[in-house]
Amino acid sequence: MKKWFAVIGDPIAHSKSPNMHNAWFEEMNIDAAYIPLHVKSENLESAISSLKTLGASGWNVTIPHKQTIIPFLDELDPLADKMGAVNTVVRLQDGRLKGYNTDGAGFVHALEEVIGKDNKDQEVLLIGAGGAARGIAFALQLFGYRKLTITNRTVEKAEDIIVELGEGKAMSIKEAEQSLGKFGIVIQSTSVGLANGEVKLPLSLEKLQEGAIAADIVYNPLMTPFLLEAQKKNVTIVNGLGMFVHQGAIAYNYWLEQYPNTNNMIKRLTEELEQLI
Ligand code: ATR
């Protein structure tokens, strides 16, 4: 029987996940379909019940349901449990629902696709302490990046994540600007500068180390104001598209036990996004 998958969220029309997963099904000869479903918060419970009744094999979860879906699941992967957020649901053989979070691991896979796995000793600066940053912080720790500093406009939120991690440190934006030169990897995870074309940075990059690695989680535009500024310092750039593709690939692997081709997908989506500029 044909399998089917979905992404649930509000809004959902802009999601690139259906194109990506359907292209992978075709490439890998999987008889399956993946559809976007617009689910408002007040309909979450009935939507999950319908997904079960109609036999979905799994689905992705996006804003605003990543936290609120948890009470409706039967089991949580330990990382999703720590993060308190789910972006992937798997319907197990016995019909129970298991929640995963592939966002943070997707980021680390994408980072390592560009810089390899030999940079785990670097000092890492994570800018931002929202939902995306939490996922990345836990995944960095899991993958062996143990020298983590988090900076955020509201420094208490950075401190909270550090307490949960049990290692690393939090600092103010001012302190991070002053000590920027010691960080080999700098990751931008805030939503600063995304609103109506404003060009703003979450912090000054004046002291950014030459040859550092600068990563952003935003992929539209591919080159964010942060990456454009960082590029002036001869750094290695990691844009947010790899994270998006790898979070999808890890979800695909949970559903179908095969890892799809991420390189081709990144190339294809890069071309699509470049045409939009
Ligand atoms: P997400 O789930 O995408 O991480 P979020 O949880 O709303 O979104 O987090 C947004 C992040 O961007 C936070 O780190 C936020 O900083 P605060 O915790 O201080 O709010 C940061 N952010 C958003 N707008 C900002 C701005 N204008 N200046 C500085 N930081 C900003």
Side-chain angles (χ1 to χ4, degrees):
M1 201 180 72
K2 194 181 185 84
K3 290 188 172 180
W4 73 280
F5 301 87
V7 55
I8 62 170
D10 178 24
I12 202 63
H14 67 285
S15 173
K16 292 197 174 295
S17 291
N19 273 345
M20 178 165 75
H21 284 280
N22 286 318
W24 278 332
F25 294 151
E26 204 175 311
E27 210 175 288
M28 298 172 80
N29 277 319
I30 305 283
D31 186 20
Y34 184 111
I35 55 168
L37 294 175
H38 184 201
V39 174
K40 290 187 179 290
S41 290
E42 62 268 31
N43 298 327
L44 180 61
E45 185 168 10
S46 65
I48 293 168
S49 162
S50 304
L51 283 157
K52 279 162 101 170
T53 310
L54 298 174
S57 297
W59 57 90
N60 284 127
V61 183
T62 187
I63 292 164
H65 307 310
K66 289 187 184 191
Q67 282 102 26
T68 47
I69 195 165
I70 290 177
F72 304 113
L73 304 176
D74 303 300
E75 198 179 326
L76 277 189
D77 174 69
L79 194 56
D81 195 12
K82 270 193 183 172
M83 292 175 187
V86 161
N87 79 332
T88 301
V89 175
V90 178
R91 185 133 185 226
L92 303 173
Q93 292 281 346
D94 59 8
R96 288 180 319 118
L97 300 179
K98 181 165 181 181
Y100 292 87
N101 194 314
T102 70
D103 286 329
F107 174 81
V108 179
H109 280 213
L111 179 74
E112 293 187 341
E113 194 163 63
V114 178
I115 70 166
K117 293 181 198 288
D118 300 329
N119 287 284
K120 298 193 200 274
D121 276 343
Q122 300 268 15
E123 292 279 348
V124 181
L125 178 68
L126 176 58
I127 309 163
R134 279 178 69 81
I136 289 170
F138 285 115
L140 284 168
Q141 183 181 51
L142 186 73
F143 283 82
Y145 296 81
R146 311 299 293 267
K147 298 181 183 165
L148 178 65
T149 300
I150 307 179
T151 185
N152 192 42
R153 174 179 62 178
T154 315
V155 72
E156 293 78 12
K157 282 167 70 181
E159 282 160 2
D160 288 347
I161 300 177
I162 290 297
V163 168
E164 284 184 61
L165 284 172
E167 63 184 359
K169 60 181 169 205
M171 58 172 66
S172 68
I173 298 278
K174 273 241 152 358
E175 279 176 274
E177 283 176 340
Q178 290 305 320
S179 53
L180 199 56
K182 76 169 190 184
F183 296 101
I185 303 177
V186 181
I187 304 161
Q188 182 333 88
S189 82
T190 75
S191 44
V192 175
L194 283 185
N196 44 35
E198 66 175 357
V199 179
K200 263 171 60 183
L201 297 180
L203 85 186
S204 157
L205 294 181
E206 208 175 309
K207 297 201 168 147
L208 182 64
Q209 200 184 97
E210 290 270 335
I213 294 144
D216 204 312
I217 68 161
V218 173
Y219 66 84
N220 196 4
L222 279 175
M223 286 301 284
T224 60
F226 169 81
L227 292 180
L228 285 169
E229 187 64 23
Q231 206 173 30
K232 296 179 185 163
K233 298 272 184 159
N234 190 26
V235 298
T236 300
I237 296 288
V238 181
N239 68 37
L241 193 57
M243 175 180 179
F244 169 70
V245 171
H246 279 278
Q247 65 72 32
I250 300 168
Y252 186 103
N253 188 44
Y254 281 132
W255 294 326
L256 296 162
E257 291 170 355
Q258 299 177 59
Y259 208 85
N261 187 318
T262 48
N263 267 325
N264 289 352
M265 186 57 64
I266 290 171
K267 274 192 207 128
R268 199 177 124 172
L269 293 177
T270 300
E271 282 165 19
E272 274 179 32
L273 286 164
E274 278 171 349
Q275 275 173 12
L276 293 178
I277 297 167

PDB file of all heavy atoms in Angstrom, residues 63 127-133 152-155 157 189-193 198 200 202 217, ligand 1:
ATOM      1  N   ILE A  63       6.126  25.279  13.300  1.00  0.00           N
ATOM      2  CA  ILE A  63       5.506  26.343  14.098  1.00  0.00           C
ATOM      3  C   ILE A  63       4.005  26.410  13.856  1.00  0.00           C
ATOM      4  O   ILE A  63       3.596  26.339  12.706  1.00  0.00           O
ATOM      5  CB  ILE A  63       6.191  27.682  13.754  1.00  0.00           C
ATOM      6  CG1 ILE A  63       7.631  27.637  14.278  1.00  0.00           C
ATOM      7  CG2 ILE A  63       5.449  28.882  14.320  1.00  0.00           C
ATOM      8  CD1 ILE A  63       8.523  28.712  13.668  1.00  0.00           C
ATOM      9  N   ILE A 127      24.885  32.403  19.069  1.00  0.00           N
ATOM     10  CA  ILE A 127      24.188  33.683  19.283  1.00  0.00           C
ATOM     11  C   ILE A 127      22.688  33.419  19.222  1.00  0.00           C
ATOM     12  O   ILE A 127      22.173  32.956  18.200  1.00  0.00           O
ATOM     13  CB  ILE A 127      24.568  34.715  18.200  1.00  0.00           C
ATOM     14  CG1 ILE A 127      26.083  34.822  18.058  1.00  0.00           C
ATOM     15  CG2 ILE A 127      23.937  36.082  18.518  1.00  0.00           C
ATOM     16  CD1 ILE A 127      26.521  35.484  16.754  1.00  0.00           C
ATOM     17  N   GLY A 128      22.003  33.683  20.329  1.00  0.00           N
ATOM     18  CA  GLY A 128      20.561  33.445  20.395  1.00  0.00           C
ATOM     19  C   GLY A 128      20.260  32.367  21.421  1.00  0.00           C
ATOM     20  O   GLY A 128      21.101  31.490  21.691  1.00  0.00           O
ATOM     21  N   ALA A 129      19.070  32.444  22.024  1.00  0.00           N
ATOM     22  CA  ALA A 129      18.692  31.459  23.048  1.00  0.00           C
ATOM     23  C   ALA A 129      17.213  31.107  22.925  1.00  0.00           C
ATOM     24  O   ALA A 129      16.543  30.818  23.909  1.00  0.00           O
ATOM     25  CB  ALA A 129      19.021  31.995  24.437  1.00  0.00           C
ATOM     26  N   GLY A 130      16.699  31.129  21.687  1.00  0.00           N
ATOM     27  CA  GLY A 130      15.309  30.745  21.440  1.00  0.00           C
ATOM     28  C   GLY A 130      15.200  29.240  21.214  1.00  0.00           C
ATOM     29  O   GLY A 130      16.119  28.473  21.553  1.00  0.00           O
ATOM     30  N   GLY A 131      14.082  28.824  20.643  1.00  0.00           N
ATOM     31  CA  GLY A 131      13.832  27.405  20.425  1.00  0.00           C
ATOM     32  C   GLY A 131      14.887  26.768  19.532  1.00  0.00           C
ATOM     33  O   GLY A 131      15.372  25.663  19.811  1.00  0.00           O
ATOM     34  N   ALA A 132      15.270  27.455  18.474  1.00  0.00           N
ATOM     35  CA  ALA A 132      16.256  26.898  17.537  1.00  0.00           C
ATOM     36  C   ALA A 132      17.603  26.730  18.231  1.00  0.00           C
ATOM     37  O   ALA A 132      18.274  25.696  18.084  1.00  0.00           O
ATOM     38  CB  ALA A 132      16.384  27.804  16.325  1.00  0.00           C
ATOM     39  N   ALA A 133      17.977  27.734  19.026  1.00  0.00           N
ATOM     40  CA  ALA A 133      19.267  27.679  19.724  1.00  0.00           C
ATOM     41  C   ALA A 133      19.317  26.509  20.710  1.00  0.00           C
ATOM     42  O   ALA A 133      20.327  25.816  20.817  1.00  0.00           O
ATOM     43  CB  ALA A 133      19.510  28.999  20.461  1.00  0.00           C
ATOM     44  N   ASN A 152      23.071  36.128  24.250  1.00  0.00           N
ATOM     45  CA  ASN A 152      21.709  36.485  23.848  1.00  0.00           C
ATOM     46  C   ASN A 152      21.364  37.861  24.395  1.00  0.00           C
ATOM     47  O   ASN A 152      21.874  38.255  25.445  1.00  0.00           O
ATOM     48  CB  ASN A 152      20.720  35.442  24.408  1.00  0.00           C
ATOM     49  CG  ASN A 152      19.348  35.573  23.790  1.00  0.00           C
ATOM     50  OD1 ASN A 152      19.219  35.775  22.579  1.00  0.00           O
ATOM     51  ND2 ASN A 152      18.313  35.477  24.597  1.00  0.00           N
ATOM     52  N   ARG A 153      20.498  38.584  23.650  1.00  0.00           N
ATOM     53  CA  ARG A 153      20.024  39.889  24.140  1.00  0.00           C
ATOM     54  C   ARG A 153      19.522  39.748  25.579  1.00  0.00           C
ATOM     55  O   ARG A 153      19.875  40.503  26.461  1.00  0.00           O
ATOM     56  CB  ARG A 153      18.913  40.382  23.208  1.00  0.00           C
ATOM     57  CG  ARG A 153      18.245  41.643  23.664  1.00  0.00           C
ATOM     58  CD  ARG A 153      17.184  42.075  22.685  1.00  0.00           C
ATOM     59  NE  ARG A 153      16.111  41.090  22.537  1.00  0.00           N
ATOM     60  CZ  ARG A 153      15.053  41.259  21.758  1.00  0.00           C
ATOM     61  NH1 ARG A 153      14.949  42.343  21.013  1.00  0.00           N
ATOM     62  NH2 ARG A 153      14.117  40.330  21.689  1.00  0.00           N
ATOM     63  N   THR A 154      18.674  38.729  25.810  1.00  0.00           N
ATOM     64  CA  THR A 154      18.208  38.440  27.170  1.00  0.00           C
ATOM     65  C   THR A 154      19.117  37.344  27.723  1.00  0.00           C
ATOM     66  O   THR A 154      18.907  36.158  27.466  1.00  0.00           O
ATOM     67  CB  THR A 154      16.746  37.936  27.125  1.00  0.00           C
ATOM     68  OG1 THR A 154      16.007  38.778  26.241  1.00  0.00           O
ATOM     69  CG2 THR A 154      16.112  37.927  28.497  1.00  0.00           C
ATOM     70  N   VAL A 155      20.136  37.753  28.462  1.00  0.00           N
ATOM     71  CA  VAL A 155      21.200  36.800  28.820  1.00  0.00           C
ATOM     72  C   VAL A 155      20.685  35.686  29.735  1.00  0.00           C
ATOM     73  O   VAL A 155      21.191  34.553  29.707  1.00  0.00           O
ATOM     74  CB  VAL A 155      22.427  37.549  29.409  1.00  0.00           C
ATOM     75  CG1 VAL A 155      22.146  38.068  30.791  1.00  0.00           C
ATOM     76  CG2 VAL A 155      23.660  36.674  29.368  1.00  0.00           C
ATOM     77  N   LYS A 157      18.147  33.902  29.388  1.00  0.00           N
ATOM     78  CA  LYS A 157      17.707  32.743  28.596  1.00  0.00           C
ATOM     79  C   LYS A 157      18.905  31.894  28.166  1.00  0.00           C
ATOM     80  O   LYS A 157      18.824  30.671  28.093  1.00  0.00           O
ATOM     81  CB  LYS A 157      16.889  33.200  27.383  1.00  0.00           C
ATOM     82  CG  LYS A 157      15.463  33.573  27.783  1.00  0.00           C
ATOM     83  CD  LYS A 157      14.723  34.320  26.691  1.00  0.00           C
ATOM     84  CE  LYS A 157      14.385  33.463  25.495  1.00  0.00           C
ATOM     85  NZ  LYS A 157      13.686  34.274  24.455  1.00  0.00           N
ATOM     86  N   SER A 189      21.696  32.280  15.432  1.00  0.00           N
ATOM     87  CA  SER A 189      20.396  31.592  15.448  1.00  0.00           C
ATOM     88  C   SER A 189      19.243  32.527  15.819  1.00  0.00           C
ATOM     89  O   SER A 189      18.160  32.061  16.146  1.00  0.00           O
ATOM     90  CB  SER A 189      20.437  30.416  16.438  1.00  0.00           C
ATOM     91  OG  SER A 189      20.218  30.883  17.752  1.00  0.00           O
ATOM     92  N   THR A 190      19.481  33.848  15.784  1.00  0.00           N
ATOM     93  CA  THR A 190      18.388  34.761  16.154  1.00  0.00           C
ATOM     94  C   THR A 190      17.578  35.141  14.913  1.00  0.00           C
ATOM     95  O   THR A 190      17.963  34.836  13.788  1.00  0.00           O
ATOM     96  CB  THR A 190      18.914  36.070  16.780  1.00  0.00           C
ATOM     97  OG1 THR A 190      19.460  36.884  15.736  1.00  0.00           O
ATOM     98  CG2 THR A 190      19.954  35.820  17.842  1.00  0.00           C
ATOM     99  N   SER A 191      16.473  35.829  15.159  1.00  0.00           N
ATOM    100  CA  SER A 191      15.655  36.293  14.041  1.00  0.00           C
ATOM    101  C   SER A 191      15.933  37.770  13.747  1.00  0.00           C
ATOM    102  O   SER A 191      15.168  38.412  13.041  1.00  0.00           O
ATOM    103  CB  SER A 191      14.183  36.072  14.369  1.00  0.00           C
ATOM    104  OG  SER A 191      13.914  36.477  15.696  1.00  0.00           O
ATOM    105  N   VAL A 192      17.057  38.281  14.256  1.00  0.00           N
ATOM    106  CA  VAL A 192      17.394  39.686  14.001  1.00  0.00           C
ATOM    107  C   VAL A 192      17.602  39.925  12.510  1.00  0.00           C
ATOM    108  O   VAL A 192      18.286  39.157  11.848  1.00  0.00           O
ATOM    109  CB  VAL A 192      18.707  40.076  14.728  1.00  0.00           C
ATOM    110  CG1 VAL A 192      19.121  41.489  14.364  1.00  0.00           C
ATOM    111  CG2 VAL A 192      18.530  39.960  16.221  1.00  0.00           C
ATOM    112  N   GLY A 193      17.006  41.002  12.005  1.00  0.00           N
ATOM    113  CA  GLY A 193      17.258  41.375  10.610  1.00  0.00           C
ATOM    114  C   GLY A 193      16.402  40.621   9.615  1.00  0.00           C
ATOM    115  O   GLY A 193      16.615  40.714   8.416  1.00  0.00           O
ATOM    116  N   GLU A 198      15.098  44.679   6.788  1.00  0.00           N
ATOM    117  CA  GLU A 198      16.053  45.458   7.580  1.00  0.00           C
ATOM    118  C   GLU A 198      17.397  44.720   7.615  1.00  0.00           C
ATOM    119  O   GLU A 198      17.445  43.499   7.609  1.00  0.00           O
ATOM    120  CB  GLU A 198      15.528  45.720   9.005  1.00  0.00           C
ATOM    121  CG  GLU A 198      15.402  44.481   9.844  1.00  0.00           C
ATOM    122  CD  GLU A 198      14.991  44.752  11.288  1.00  0.00           C
ATOM    123  OE1 GLU A 198      14.862  45.913  11.671  1.00  0.00           O
ATOM    124  OE2 GLU A 198      14.832  43.769  12.013  1.00  0.00           O
ATOM    125  N   LYS A 200      20.327  44.214   9.895  1.00  0.00           N
ATOM    126  CA  LYS A 200      20.848  44.406  11.246  1.00  0.00           C
ATOM    127  C   LYS A 200      21.611  43.159  11.652  1.00  0.00           C
ATOM    128  O   LYS A 200      21.293  42.063  11.214  1.00  0.00           O
ATOM    129  CB  LYS A 200      19.680  44.617  12.228  1.00  0.00           C
ATOM    130  CG  LYS A 200      19.411  46.102  12.496  1.00  0.00           C
ATOM    131  CD  LYS A 200      18.149  46.348  13.264  1.00  0.00           C
ATOM    132  CE  LYS A 200      18.051  45.729  14.639  1.00  0.00           C
ATOM    133  NZ  LYS A 200      16.717  46.014  15.235  1.00  0.00           N
ATOM    134  N   PRO A 202      23.066  40.733  14.996  1.00  0.00           N
ATOM    135  CA  PRO A 202      22.819  40.530  16.427  1.00  0.00           C
ATOM    136  C   PRO A 202      23.979  41.034  17.280  1.00  0.00           C
ATOM    137  O   PRO A 202      23.811  41.311  18.465  1.00  0.00           O
ATOM    138  CB  PRO A 202      22.658  39.016  16.553  1.00  0.00           C
ATOM    139  CG  PRO A 202      23.371  38.444  15.369  1.00  0.00           C
ATOM    140  CD  PRO A 202      23.254  39.469  14.272  1.00  0.00           C
ATOM    141  N   ILE A 217      21.419  29.916  10.718  1.00  0.00           N
ATOM    142  CA  ILE A 217      20.364  28.906  10.559  1.00  0.00           C
ATOM    143  C   ILE A 217      19.282  29.363   9.582  1.00  0.00           C
ATOM    144  O   ILE A 217      18.424  28.597   9.208  1.00  0.00           O
ATOM    145  CB  ILE A 217      19.714  28.523  11.908  1.00  0.00           C
ATOM    146  CG1 ILE A 217      18.908  29.686  12.486  1.00  0.00           C
ATOM    147  CG2 ILE A 217      20.757  28.062  12.893  1.00  0.00           C
ATOM    148  CD1 ILE A 217      17.909  29.220  13.538  1.00  0.00           C
TER     149      ILE A 217
HETATM  150  P1  ATR B   1      13.366  30.486  17.282  1.00  0.00           P
HETATM  151  O1  ATR B   1      12.450  29.367  17.677  1.00  0.00           O
HETATM  152  O2  ATR B   1      13.473  30.687  15.791  1.00  0.00           O
HETATM  153  O3  ATR B   1      14.712  30.383  17.916  1.00  0.00           O
HETATM  154  P2  ATR B   1      12.504  32.419  19.240  1.00  0.00           P
HETATM  155  O4  ATR B   1      12.356  31.308  20.217  1.00  0.00           O
HETATM  156  O5  ATR B   1      11.439  33.457  19.142  1.00  0.00           O
HETATM  157  O6  ATR B   1      12.659  31.848  17.767  1.00  0.00           O
HETATM  158  O7  ATR B   1      13.907  33.120  19.499  1.00  0.00           O
HETATM  159  C1  ATR B   1      14.311  34.258  18.814  1.00  0.00           C
HETATM  160  C2  ATR B   1      15.772  34.622  19.160  1.00  0.00           C
HETATM  161  O8  ATR B   1      16.116  35.805  18.432  1.00  0.00           O
HETATM  162  C3  ATR B   1      15.999  34.924  20.630  1.00  0.00           C
HETATM  163  O9  ATR B   1      17.339  34.613  20.953  1.00  0.00           O
HETATM  164  C4  ATR B   1      15.781  36.454  20.662  1.00  0.00           C
HETATM  165  O10 ATR B   1      16.400  37.127  21.718  1.00  0.00           O
HETATM  166  P3  ATR B   1      15.606  37.355  23.129  1.00  0.00           P
HETATM  167  O11 ATR B   1      15.647  36.017  23.822  1.00  0.00           O
HETATM  168  O12 ATR B   1      16.378  38.405  23.833  1.00  0.00           O
HETATM  169  O13 ATR B   1      14.209  37.776  22.757  1.00  0.00           O
HETATM  170  C5  ATR B   1      16.448  36.842  19.368  1.00  0.00           C
HETATM  171  N1  ATR B   1      15.949  38.122  18.858  1.00  0.00           N
HETATM  172  C6  ATR B   1      14.813  38.345  18.168  1.00  0.00           C
HETATM  173  N2  ATR B   1      14.706  39.652  17.831  1.00  0.00           N
HETATM  174  C7  ATR B   1      15.812  40.280  18.326  1.00  0.00           C
HETATM  175  C8  ATR B   1      16.311  41.623  18.287  1.00  0.00           C
HETATM  176  N3  ATR B   1      15.645  42.596  17.664  1.00  0.00           N
HETATM  177  N4  ATR B   1      17.508  41.888  18.886  1.00  0.00           N
HETATM  178  C9  ATR B   1      18.196  40.901  19.506  1.00  0.00           C
HETATM  179  N5  ATR B   1      17.790  39.595  19.571  1.00  0.00           N
HETATM  180  C10 ATR B   1      16.619  39.285  18.987  1.00  0.00           C
END
